[in-house]
């Protein structure tokens, strides 16, 4: 019987990209190379960027250096729309007011469509700069985005006819902060407005590792579902890592400390992950 493994990479801004990369590098240093042995990768928002980077041909130490070394870090644009604090406050209010998850996503999508942001092309150039390679990998990779008008979920992979840069950009389009991404005439926003990790999309695999940079109310139920058919390990930022995230995970300055904290945490978590991944 074949054993299958899935890696789930959740959203968390620039802090999440750096931390996830550090965790994976730390695990690999201890002999648990999850990035190389996963049969499927599910990426949402920051996790979409990390998932694409894992298939770029660069080694984990090289990817880590691109996060930890300021001289190698990709240039980022400062957001001009809603601040992270304002978005979180609004999101909390909408969650309390709107019980229907699809309607909630539609409302957030409407916010994204109306918000003043940097130009879509400028934001796409930033995403392209994050990815050392712009071609889809052969290994199954699913990136999550949401239709800004309907609230429907779009799962994008190499068979979808969508370029990898556009798929990552769509999954990373935080509503109100970054512009929605146009694909075949449809505007898409961050897949994290479905759930921050979308771990349920890894259902059916025997072993699952979830890296969850941000608090996610849906995660417990998603993990419970995964455990009905397999082993699951979840890594969330420890106290040291959380401190590096600060109050704005989109601040480029968080990358170096978050990457270093992730590396240290990955080394410490290796034994626990090995039990679930073996």
């Amino acid at each position: 019987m074949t054993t299958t493994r899935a890696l789930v990479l959740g959203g968390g801004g620039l802090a999440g990209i750096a931390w996830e990369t550090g965790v994976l590098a730390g695990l690999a240093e201890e002999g648990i190379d999850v990035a190389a042995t996963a049969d499927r990768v599910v990426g949402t928002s920051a996790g979409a960027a990390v998932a694409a980077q894992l298939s770029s041909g660069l080694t984990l130490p090289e990817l880590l250096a691109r996060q930890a070394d300021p001289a190698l870090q990709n240039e980022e644009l400062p957001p001009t729309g809603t601040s992270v604090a304002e978005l979180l406050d609004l999101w909390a209010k909408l969650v309390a007011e709107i019980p229907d998850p699809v309607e909630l996503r539609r409302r957030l999508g409407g916010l994204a469509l109306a918000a003043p942001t940097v130009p879509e092309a400028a934001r796409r150039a930033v995403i392209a700069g994050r990815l050392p390679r712009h071609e889809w990998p052969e290994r199954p990779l699913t990136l999550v985005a949401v239709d800004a008008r309907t609230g429907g979920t779009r799962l994008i992979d190499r068979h979808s006819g969508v370029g990898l840069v556009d798929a990552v950009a769509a999954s990373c389009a935080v509503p109100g902060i970054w512009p929605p991404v146009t694909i075949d005439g449809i505007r898409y926003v961050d897949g994290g407005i479905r759930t921050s990790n979308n771990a349920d999309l890894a259902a059916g695999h025997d072993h699952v590792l979830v890296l969850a940079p941000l608090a996610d109310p849906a995660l417990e139920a998603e993990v419970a579902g995964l455990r009905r058919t397999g082993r699951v390990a979840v890594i969330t930022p420890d106290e040291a890592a959380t401190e590096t995230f600060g109050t704005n995970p989109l601040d480029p300055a968080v990358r170096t400390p978050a990457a270093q904290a992730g590396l240290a945490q990955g080394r410490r978590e290796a034994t626990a992950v090995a039990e679930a991944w073996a």
Side-chain angles (χ1 to χ4, degrees):
M1 180 180 296
T2 301
T3 298
T4 61
R5 298 173 175 83
L7 172 62
V8 176
L9 300 168
L14 294 176
I17 293 174
W19 175 79
E20 288 179 346
T21 305
V23 170
L24 293 171
L27 291 172
E29 284 186 6
E30 298 299 317
I32 314 298
D33 194 346
V34 175
T37 55
D39 299 293
R40 183 182 191 85
V41 181
V42 177
T44 300
S45 197
V50 176
Q53 290 168 354
L54 293 178
S55 303
S56 66
L58 297 184
T59 64
L60 277 170
E62 289 171 326
L63 292 173
L64 178 64
R66 285 165 57 92
Q67 297 300 319
D69 184 349
L72 299 177
Q73 289 169 347
N74 184 57
E75 184 175 355
E76 296 286 338
L77 286 172
T80 58
T82 307
S83 72
V84 172
E86 291 170 335
L87 175 62
L88 292 177
D89 286 344
L90 176 59
W91 199 326
K93 291 176 182 177
L94 292 177
V95 168
E97 295 172 2
I98 306 172
D100 179 14
V102 176
E103 177 58 28
L104 175 62
R105 296 196 292 267
R106 278 199 294 264
R107 189 73 66 86
L108 288 167
L111 167 71
L113 292 169
T117 66
V118 300
E120 186 177 339
R123 173 63 174 165
R124 187 186 187 280
V126 169
I127 300 299
R130 288 181 186 173
L131 307 184
R133 180 181 177 186
H134 295 172
E135 294 77 33
W136 285 92
E138 291 297 318
R139 174 175 61 186
L141 168 59
T142 301
L143 306 183
V144 187
V146 169
D147 186 319
R149 294 196 180 280
T150 69
T153 302
R154 174 79 186 270
L155 305 182
I156 310 176
D157 60 21
R158 66 188 179 93
H159 303 293
S160 65
V162 178
L164 182 62
V165 173
D166 290 320
V168 173
S171 190
C172 292
V174 182
I177 294 179
W178 300 121
V181 173
T182 306
I183 298 174
D184 297 329
I186 299 174
R187 310 294 301 284
Y188 291 96
V189 294
D190 198 304
I193 70 171
R194 179 181 183 267
T195 75
S196 184
N197 299 285
N198 294 301
D200 57 310
L201 299 179
H205 291 277
D206 303 294
H207 305 281
V208 180
L209 172 62
V210 182
L211 301 190
L214 299 180
D216 180 4
L219 184 58
E220 183 177 356
E222 291 178 345
V223 170
L226 294 174
R227 284 181 171 148
R228 295 190 185 103
T229 57
R231 300 178 185 175
V232 184
V234 179
I235 301 179
T236 59
D238 59 16
E239 184 176 354
T242 299
E243 288 181 0
T244 70
F245 285 22
T247 59
N248 181 8
L250 300 181
D251 182 354
V254 305
R255 287 178 289 182
T256 296
Q260 293 169 341
L263 178 66
Q265 189 174 356
R267 291 166 175 163
R268 291 194 299 271
E269 299 273 5
T271 299
V273 171
E275 294 176 357
W277 197 253

